Amino acid sequence: MPFAYRKLKLKTRMILILGLVSALQTGLIGGFAGYYLSESLYEQIGQRALMVSKTVAAMPAVIEGVKKRDTETLTALSKRIADTNQALFIVIGDSHAIRLAHPDPDRIGHSMADDDGDRGTRALKYGEGYVAKAHGSLGLSMRGKAPIIDISNGEIIGIVSVGYSLDQVFSTIQRYNMVLYLVMGLMLLGSVLAAIVIAGRFKKAIFGLEPEEIAALFQERDATLQSVREGIIAINRDGVITTFNRTAIETLGLGPDTRLAGRPIGDVLPENNLMSVLETGEPAFDREVWMQGRQMIVNRLPVKQGDTIIGVVASFRLRDELDQVSRQLTRIQQYADTLRSQTHEYSNKLHTIAGLIQIGANEQALALIGSEVSDHQALIHLLLEAVPDPVLAGCLLGKYNRAREMGLQLAIDPDSEMADLPPQLPRDQLVSVLGNLIDNALEATRQHRGEGGVVHLSMTDLGHDLIFEVEDQGPGIPEAERERIFERGVSSKTEGDHGIGLYLVKQFVDRWGGSVTVEPLQPNGSRFTLYLTKTPVQTEGVMQ
């Protein structure tokens, strides 16, 4: 049954629920009204019977007739009064409950207990009038009984029993019930019609979607929101945050457990311009702004319901991320150039080897082949042993070939070991940082030493840190510049777009919770030492 119910459309469910609730309410109200009506009628008939019985018992003619035991007079009198009051019967008995008047003459002289077992004890013994419901010789009736008292001496000399047929009550109740049932039916019909209208408007308000579809859309929306690599924050017309994603928390430098929903946007981002968009309704795209002390690219879009602005959605990302994408594309281009140069280099060497063989210089050809194979085999063997991570190993192999193309040598310390890389360390950022350090070392060495220069690289993963040391044979860095070289735009190179590589290195190291140092070498050159902790430290942004 629950499964069948879930398969019903929302509109049908609402009609069924509202209809059942209305039917239940109508049934309860109708049942209570019917019960109250029946009890009220029974009580009214009983009180009427008791009133008539007291009236008859107080009549002088009845008192005198009982004293004389004048059954004929009492019978005629009781019949006349019964007809006048539309009573089923009026029975008069003496002090021993022996009938003196009865609609059926054959029952005169017999005990009143023959009808219902009630001898009228309360009336004859205690002088009390009372009401009783009983099934007698004339059918089911509501009876009122009162004592007949001789006013001359106050003695109880008889009893009067007045009865009204309950069939009359039943017919009256049925008439009332017919009206009640009609009203209940109209109420139920009105409730069903109201349920249909309400369900239709509700379904229209939720764009005709079913609850399951709404739940699925909400889950998809939440998953989509969290998967977006841009920070997203939405506010309502009151400037209160209603929606946000994890990227927004991370981009703003807030704590991972920070909850933004329900907070005014001014408390989280005092320097935001979302309220102006809420007022003007003008969207803004790709605006460069500073938020939380960071340069970001922000898009703002008003949310409208009809022609009314009900909120604003903002998406934002760090400007550095765009720069990083650009640099990664540039680096890919450099790798492609390196592969092309390597292909060209090997093509030249193959031609040289072929020429040596043709002129019969086989020993020289073998020596050239051996030298080439041994160098690469030694490097590959070292990388397989010391650097099992394929991304890092590929980066180092590419830089080795890049150094050879530049006429330099990248010497990797044979005692290096870098096998304990933490899984959460982003490999693309690691190779970007290390690649920047090696590229800078190669450029500095070529400018100062020319061909034949050597760049040394050593790595170790012992202890709690990953340590990379890159030594160049460049001109060195003046002491006054050693702290500034990690700032954006600061570089010792005059041509091209420089001053970014070391800045990105420092940014990554700070985010990861590591450090980078630079120290001079003798007689010339510099050593860059990169420390990356194996357990990252989350840094929080500063609210401005």
Side-chain angles (χ1 to χ4, degrees), residues 436-468:
N436 273 318
L437 293 178
I438 295 176
D439 287 341
N440 286 344
L442 292 174
E443 287 291 338
T445 301
R446 183 176 65 172
Q447 290 180 7
H448 186 69
R449 288 287 303 273
E451 294 188 2
V454 180
V455 173
H456 295 274
L457 170 65
S458 65
M459 304 171 289
T460 179
D461 57 4
L462 297 178
H464 300 290
D465 295 325
L466 307 177
I467 302 175
F468 299 86

Side-chain angles (χ1 to χ4, degrees), residues 199-221:
R201 291 187 176 182
F202 183 79
K203 194 70 180 293
K204 183 178 179 181
I206 59 176
F207 305 101
L209 298 174
E210 296 297 318
E212 293 78 7
E213 294 175 335
I214 295 175
L217 286 176
F218 177 80
Q219 292 174 344
E220 291 177 4
R221 169 253 191 197

Side-chain angles (χ1 to χ4, degrees), residues 88-130:
L88 178 62
F89 62 84
I90 296 179
V91 178
I92 302 174
D94 60 12
S95 60
H96 300 289
I98 301 300
R99 297 187 186 98
L100 298 177
H102 193 279
D104 185 359
D106 294 337
R107 292 184 177 273
I108 297 175
H110 296 280
S111 174
M112 295 174 67
D114 293 347
D115 280 343
D116 56 11
D118 185 4
R119 297 176 60 87
T121 302
R122 290 175 58 186
L124 292 173
K125 185 175 180 179
Y126 302 107
E128 297 178 356
Y130 64 94

Side-chain angles (χ1 to χ4, degrees), residues 18-39:
L18 294 177
L20 288 175
V21 171
S22 300
L24 181 62
Q25 291 178 339
T26 305
L28 290 175
I29 295 174
F32 174 77
Y35 174 78
Y36 181 77
L37 175 64
S38 301
E39 292 299 315

Side-chain angles (χ1 to χ4, degrees), residues 38 52 57 59 75-77 84 107 158 228 235 255 280 298 316 335 366 381 430 450 472 520 532 543:
S38 301
V52 173
M59 294 176 67
T75 299
L77 181 62
T84 300
R107 292 184 177 273
V228 174
I235 62 172
T280 63
V298 179
F316 48 90
Y335 289 157
L366 291 174
H381 179 74
L430 174 62
D472 62 51
L532 297 176
M543 294 290 291

